[in-house]
């Protein structure tokens, strides 16, 4: 288990000092707010107790913080892994949902073999006794999730600082890199930057607005949009899976830095790239609750917020693997396609389904490349072809980065769950190569994947993209 040797205070001081004295460090302002994100807010929380008015005024002035959005902390929260979950149905309620509703557990991952769930300090005792009573074994993966969050954050700060010191000029004017996770503004600035550098072949769309009014951005890259076969890539459906937008932007960067030299199976395609499908959730996960998964839609009649966008698509929507409870992390929404983010993507894709050959969606964690179906226990007709391409990617990843990925059918490798974007695209847009990619890791860090692993993980994402692009015949 990872232990953080730095106190909150020293982290703050380190950051404040290095930043204050380094005026050469050109980085977008937005990113600075985020870097200190939770910490700055935490400091303010203390201030707010002393003088409410002052803190509130400050917040209003820089627009960073709503006083109600005090960061959630996970001190002494534990991450547990529980095997054989299917044996433990409780009055028809799956164990995961049970622990979620009774003990405020946060489901990190559920697959055919195990459940990873985090339990806050206050509920540890009760949850432990519950498991003991029911003879359910657990493995404790981590005993302080806040430390893990802080360690990842500190590592990112240090990596950026190291670069600032070494005088290497930033390659991108947006300030993006793959040494750390970046905020939404930086990602959107990067998309604009690419468009500006390749005005002839890029088009930047705002395909709609999120629940909180943010732009939903898609970049198209194509030398011949009328004729070339189309590949869609998205990330960030789930807010806390930060490695996903990081990987999608990495893929975009890698495609573009050597665009002229790319092989035909890259250059003679139309690419649609949406790094952040759930911008509200992403922002919220960076500012307030690191474990946030859903979007940020208000739910009439409920105190809880947010719909799981990957349970909201109109395929097997009422089926297994989702919840009707707005407080659940896998809440499917009031109706299929109810969410603005879902609608925007659905409408955009439906109008472009001609020649749409691949749909790739990046999630974390688990290291798997899976293809439909998820909503029912069946394989698509051409599952063999999809499996072959998936396996090619798995092999290439193994030889290039040494990471072990699995490939397979979603319902088998993960679990049956309706309402997914992958199944919907396959069914409604008749796309052949549909894959959900679960990026690193296999559970050691989970969503708090250390920034030093972004590059390696990004390469793995790119390998999947290249294998799929290659598989599509020109
Ligand atoms: N971890 C992803 C999720 O739970 C996996 C998605 C797989 N596809 C699906 N339609 N369930 O959303
Ligand atoms: Zn996900």
């Amino acid at each position: 288990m990872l232990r953080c040797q730095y106190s909150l205070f020293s982290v703050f001081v380190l950051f404040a000092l290095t930043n204050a004295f380094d005026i050469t460090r050109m980085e977008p302002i937005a990113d600075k707010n985020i870097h200190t994100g939770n910490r700055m807010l935490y400091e303010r929380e203390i201030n707010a107790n002393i003088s409410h008015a002052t803190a509130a005024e400050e917040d209003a002035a820089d627009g960073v913080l709503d006083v109600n959005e005090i960061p959630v902390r996970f001190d002494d929260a534990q991450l547990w892994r529980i095997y054989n979950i299917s044996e433990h149905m409780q009055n028809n309620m799956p164990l995961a949902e049970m622990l979620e509703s009774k003990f405020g557990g946060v489901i990190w991952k559920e697959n055919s073999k195990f459940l990873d769930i985090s339990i806050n300090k206050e509920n540890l005792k009760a949850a432990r006794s519950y498991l003991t009573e029911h003879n359910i074994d657990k493995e404790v993966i981590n005993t302080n999730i806040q430390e893990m969050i802080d360690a990842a954050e500190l590592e990112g700060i240090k990596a950026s600082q190291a670069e600032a010191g070494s005088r290497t000029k930033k390659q991108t004017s947006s300030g993006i890199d793959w040494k750390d996770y970046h905020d939404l503004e930086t990602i959107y600035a990067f998309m604009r930057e690419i468009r500006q550098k390749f005005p002839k072949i890029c088009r930047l769309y705002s395909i709609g607005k999120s629940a909180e009014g943010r732009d939903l951005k898609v970049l198209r890259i194509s030398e011949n949009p009328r004729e070339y076969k189309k590949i869609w890539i998205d990330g960030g459906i789930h807010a806390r899976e930060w490695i996903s937008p990081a990987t999608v932007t990495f893929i975009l960067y890698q495609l573009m830095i050597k665009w002229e030299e790319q092989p035909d199976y890259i250059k003679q395609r139309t690419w649609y790239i949406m790094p952040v499908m759930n911008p509200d959730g992403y922002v919220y996960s960076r500012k307030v609750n690191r474990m946030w998964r859903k979007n940020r839609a208000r739910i009439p009649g409920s105190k809880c917020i947010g719909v799981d966008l990957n349970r909201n698509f109109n395929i097997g929507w009422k089926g297994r693997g989702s919840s009707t409870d707005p407080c659940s992390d896998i809440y499917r929404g009031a109706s299929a396609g109810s969410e603005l983010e879902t609608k925007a993507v659905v409408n955009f894709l439906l109008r472009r389904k001609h020649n749409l050959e691949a749909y790739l969606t990046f999630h974390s964690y688990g290291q798997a490349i899976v293809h439909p179906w998820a909503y029912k226990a069946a394989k698509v007709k051409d599952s063999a072809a999809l499996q072959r391409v998936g396996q090619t990617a798995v092999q290439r990843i193994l030889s290039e980065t040494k990471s072990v990925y699995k490939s397979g059918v979603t319902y088998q490798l993960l679990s049956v769950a309706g309402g997914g974007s992958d199944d919907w695209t396959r069914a409604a847009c008749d796309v052949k190569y549909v894959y959900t990619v679960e990026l690193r890791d296999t559970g050691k860090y989970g969503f708090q994947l250390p920034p030093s692993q972004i590059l390696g993980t990004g390469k793995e994402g790119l390998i999947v993209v290249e294998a799929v692009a290659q598989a599509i015949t020109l």
Side-chain angles (χ1 to χ4, degrees), residues 84-117:
N84 303 320
I85 38 170
S86 50
E87 290 169 19
H88 307 299
M89 286 286 272
Q90 302 295 327
N91 315 320
N92 238 343
M93 203 192 233
L95 180 70
E97 273 184 67
M98 172 65 221
L99 293 171
E100 188 184 42
S101 59
K102 259 202 156 158
F103 306 107
V106 176
I107 301 164
W108 286 33
K109 173 155 202 75
E110 217 185 333
N111 61 25
S112 51
K113 298 212 171 65
F114 58 78
L115 163 72
D116 286 352
I117 190 162

Side-chain angles (χ1 to χ4, degrees), residues 238 241 293 363-364:
H238 290 139
E241 298 164 9
R293 167 179 166 100
H363 287 254
S364 76

Side-chain angles (χ1 to χ4, degrees), residues 237-238 241 293 310 362-365 438 447:
I237 292 184
H238 290 139
E241 298 164 9
R293 167 179 166 100
N310 214 30
F362 287 91
H363 287 254
S364 76
Y365 55 95
E438 295 277 10
F447 306 115

